[in-house]
Amino acid sequence: MSTLRVDNLRGQTADGTNRYVVQVVEGSVSPKTATTSTSFITTGLEATITPSSTSNKILISVAMNGVYSPEADYVVFHIYKNDVNHHSFSTNVGQNGESDSSSVVHFYLDSPSTTSATKYTVYNRSGNGGSIGINNYGIGGDGSTRSTILLQEIAQ
């Protein structure tokens, strides 16, 4: 009789690499926010991940819901890494000449090169000083929706 003992079994992905999702961390925020600041302020949306290898990458997925701004204004978002401005994305919500509210989805692949806890936080600001924010609508009224950030560690 034969015995097969395996401590660790890991196959290759379809493309022949060893890339796979190591871990997933989520953060969310649901209160409606509002600001007229033209300087970046936190939305409260954040998540922290501790990579298992310095060579791994972090796929950041952000879904901002109920993003709103008045006519002739816009919302600018930045992702801060460990409280330092790291990556930007923006929306034209409001730039179509009417007050507007919509969802904004963004993906970004980061190479943190660390095995220390790494915090990603979404900040926003008004483009022209109008009142902007997130989580503006939902079936249950303002603040009944939520915005999320999803961090996925990808093995390299």
Side-chain angles (χ1 to χ4, degrees):
M1 179 183 300
S2 299
T3 302
L4 175 63
R5 296 174 197 253
V6 178
D7 291 327
N8 190 353
L9 181 63
R10 189 179 324 162
Q12 290 187 323
T13 58
D15 66 356
T17 66
N18 286 320
R19 295 186 183 108
Y20 57 94
V21 175
V22 176
Q23 62 175 313
V24 177
V25 177
E26 182 207 15
S28 66
V29 64
S30 59
K32 178 183 176 183
T33 67
T35 185
T36 57
S37 177
T38 56
S39 298
F40 285 102
I41 62 170
T42 183
T43 61
L45 182 58
E46 67 180 37
T48 301
I49 193 166
T50 304
S52 61
S53 170
T54 58
S55 63
N56 289 352
K57 297 186 184 294
I58 304 299
L59 177 59
I60 305 164
S61 305
V62 176
M64 306 302 291
N65 290 307
V67 177
Y68 67 94
S69 70
E71 298 174 18
D73 206 345
Y74 56 96
V75 183
V76 179
F77 293 103
H78 276 210
I79 297 172
Y80 278 54
K81 181 166 73 173
N82 293 328
D83 301 318
V84 175
N85 195 342
H86 183 65
H87 177 75
S88 67
F89 61 104
S90 63
T91 174
N92 65 349
V93 171
Q95 288 187 325
N96 60 3
E98 61 185 56
S99 295
D100 203 358
S101 189
S102 66
S103 296
V104 176
V105 177
H106 184 75
F107 302 96
Y108 174 67
L109 189 62
D110 189 33
S111 301
S113 300
T114 186
T115 56
S116 297
T118 305
K119 179 175 72 169
Y120 296 92
T121 308
V122 178
Y123 281 65
N124 67 357
R125 73 170 178 85
S126 173
N128 294 321
S131 181
I132 60 99
I134 61 171
N135 297 332
N136 185 41
Y137 63 85
I139 294 173
D142 287 347
S144 65
T145 189
R146 70 181 188 147
S147 295
T148 59
I149 184 170
L150 190 68
L151 307 176
Q152 299 175 71
E153 180 182 2
I154 310 297
Q156 295 300 296

